[in-house]
Amino acid sequence: MSRSLIAAALALTTLTAPAFAATSTFRMEVDVVKANLATPAGAEKEYDSLKQQVAERCDAEFEDLKYGRSFTIGACNERTLSNTVRAIGNANLTEVHANRD
């Protein structure tokens, strides 16, 4: 039983490994209204916009991926959104990101 589980885990890892390699190598520009970041409510609005922009880019980035697409896109969304919030460096936006669902 454990051998088949190990084999399944190894197969899944092998199938998704190329996808993970690709997720860390793209750059993207995002649209942010900096004035909105001055308030928590505005930062939440901008966060929703960023989240949508990142989701669209990650989806496009892995459009041709056949196996592990959903998992890979989820990982791409999480990593890219976190990196984007960190790069913007706004306290209100960072707090919205930290308290997300």
Side-chain angles (χ1 to χ4, degrees):
M1 172 93 164
S2 65
R3 287 183 189 176
S4 61
L5 292 176
I6 292 170
L10 182 58
L12 181 61
T13 302
T14 302
L15 293 173
T16 59
F20 283 123
T23 62
S24 63
T25 59
F26 71 81
R27 297 176 65 88
M28 68 179 282
E29 291 183 20
V30 294
D31 293 323
V32 177
V33 178
K34 288 190 177 186
N36 288 347
L37 299 177
T39 65
E44 193 165 331
K45 178 181 174 186
E46 291 304 313
Y47 184 80
D48 290 342
S49 174
L50 284 172
K51 191 174 178 179
Q52 181 64 35
Q53 292 174 62
V54 166
E56 288 172 4
R57 176 61 190 267
C58 286
D59 190 52
E61 199 64 30
F62 298 104
E63 185 174 48
D64 297 331
L65 188 65
K66 293 180 182 177
Y67 302 104
R69 185 172 189 270
S70 174
F71 180 77
T72 303
I73 288 174
C76 176
N77 285 338
E78 179 63 31
R79 181 173 36 252
T80 305
L81 190 56
S82 293
N83 288 342
T84 302
V85 169
R86 189 176 315 111
I88 293 171
N90 176 272
N92 288 328
L93 188 62
T94 300
E95 184 157 340
V96 170
H97 180 65
N99 294 325
R100 70 193 182 279
D101 295 320

